[in-house]
Amino acid sequence: MKKIYIRAYARVQQQVDKLSERITQHLKTQDKGAITAEYAIVLVAAAGFAALLAVILKSDAVREALANLVKNALDTA
């Protein structure tokens, strides 16, 4: 199970690095000031967090917990 997370983290890190490089290249060609740079940093962080969250939510333990939560909610309704 740990190997899956390590591989998933490596893929996420590669995608974040690619996105960061694209943003850096874009900022070099169009210097719009500090606001643009801050926006880019927030986008990179959000993309990394979203990718990591997607990896976590795909794990069997989390999937089972969410399925049980939904099942219990539907059973009590």
Side-chain angles (χ1 to χ4, degrees):
M1 181 66 86
K2 189 175 182 180
K3 289 181 182 180
I4 293 171
Y5 289 117
I6 292 171
R7 285 192 307 244
Y9 178 78
R11 287 192 308 248
V12 168
Q13 188 62 45
Q14 287 174 343
Q15 294 302 318
V16 169
D17 289 345
K18 286 180 184 178
L19 180 60
S20 178
E21 180 62 30
R22 287 178 58 196
I23 290 171
T24 301
Q25 289 300 323
H26 180 72
L27 290 176
K28 285 180 181 178
T29 59
Q30 292 183 347
D31 185 19
K32 300 266 184 188
I35 294 174
T36 303
E38 290 169 4
Y39 182 69
I41 291 169
V42 169
L43 283 177
V44 169
F49 181 73
L52 185 60
L53 185 60
V55 168
I56 290 169
L57 289 176
K58 286 183 180 180
S59 73
D60 292 335
V62 172
R63 191 179 311 190
E64 184 178 333
L66 289 173
N68 288 337
L69 181 69
V70 170
K71 183 180 177 186
N72 290 339
L74 292 176
D75 286 344
T76 58

